[in-house]
Amino acid sequence: MIHGITEHMEILGSDGGLVGRVDKVEGDRIKLTKDSDPHHAGHHHTLPLSAVQSTEGGKITLQMSASEARSKLQKQMG
């Protein structure tokens, strides 16, 4: 996978808060599993790869806090 990102890796904000888990990488975006956000279950959401700060120890750390990342999630239709 791109940037060492693989399925089911945890995605953490810079504050260590859980944002979700990786479903897969599509183009320049990380697609989160449908169950990553209990408030919007049943829909995939994405984050840009440019938000990734590092991938280490089977986890992805973002360049923003978990709450900021969750506010920037884009709903993917279909």
Side-chain angles (χ1 to χ4, degrees), residues 25-78:
V25 175
E26 291 185 334
D28 64 348
R29 300 196 68 82
I30 300 170
K31 186 176 189 179
L32 281 67
T33 59
K34 287 183 180 180
D35 62 356
S36 287
D37 184 352
H39 301 290
H40 297 100
H43 299 286
H44 283 287
H45 289 81
T46 65
L47 281 169
L49 281 171
S50 61
V52 175
Q53 179 176 0
S54 65
T55 57
E56 190 174 328
K59 297 181 183 190
I60 298 167
T61 302
L62 302 175
Q63 299 177 23
M64 62 190 83
S65 69
S67 62
E68 185 179 357
R70 283 190 291 271
S71 73
K72 293 180 185 268
L73 288 174
Q74 289 186 0
K75 185 175 179 180
Q76 181 176 18
M77 303 307 283

Side-chain angles (χ1 to χ4, degrees), residues 1-3 5-6 22-31 49:
M1 292 295 286
I2 299 170
H3 301 288
I5 297 173
T6 59
V22 174
D23 183 25
K24 60 184 167 181
V25 175
E26 291 185 334
D28 64 348
R29 300 196 68 82
I30 300 170
K31 186 176 189 179
L49 281 171

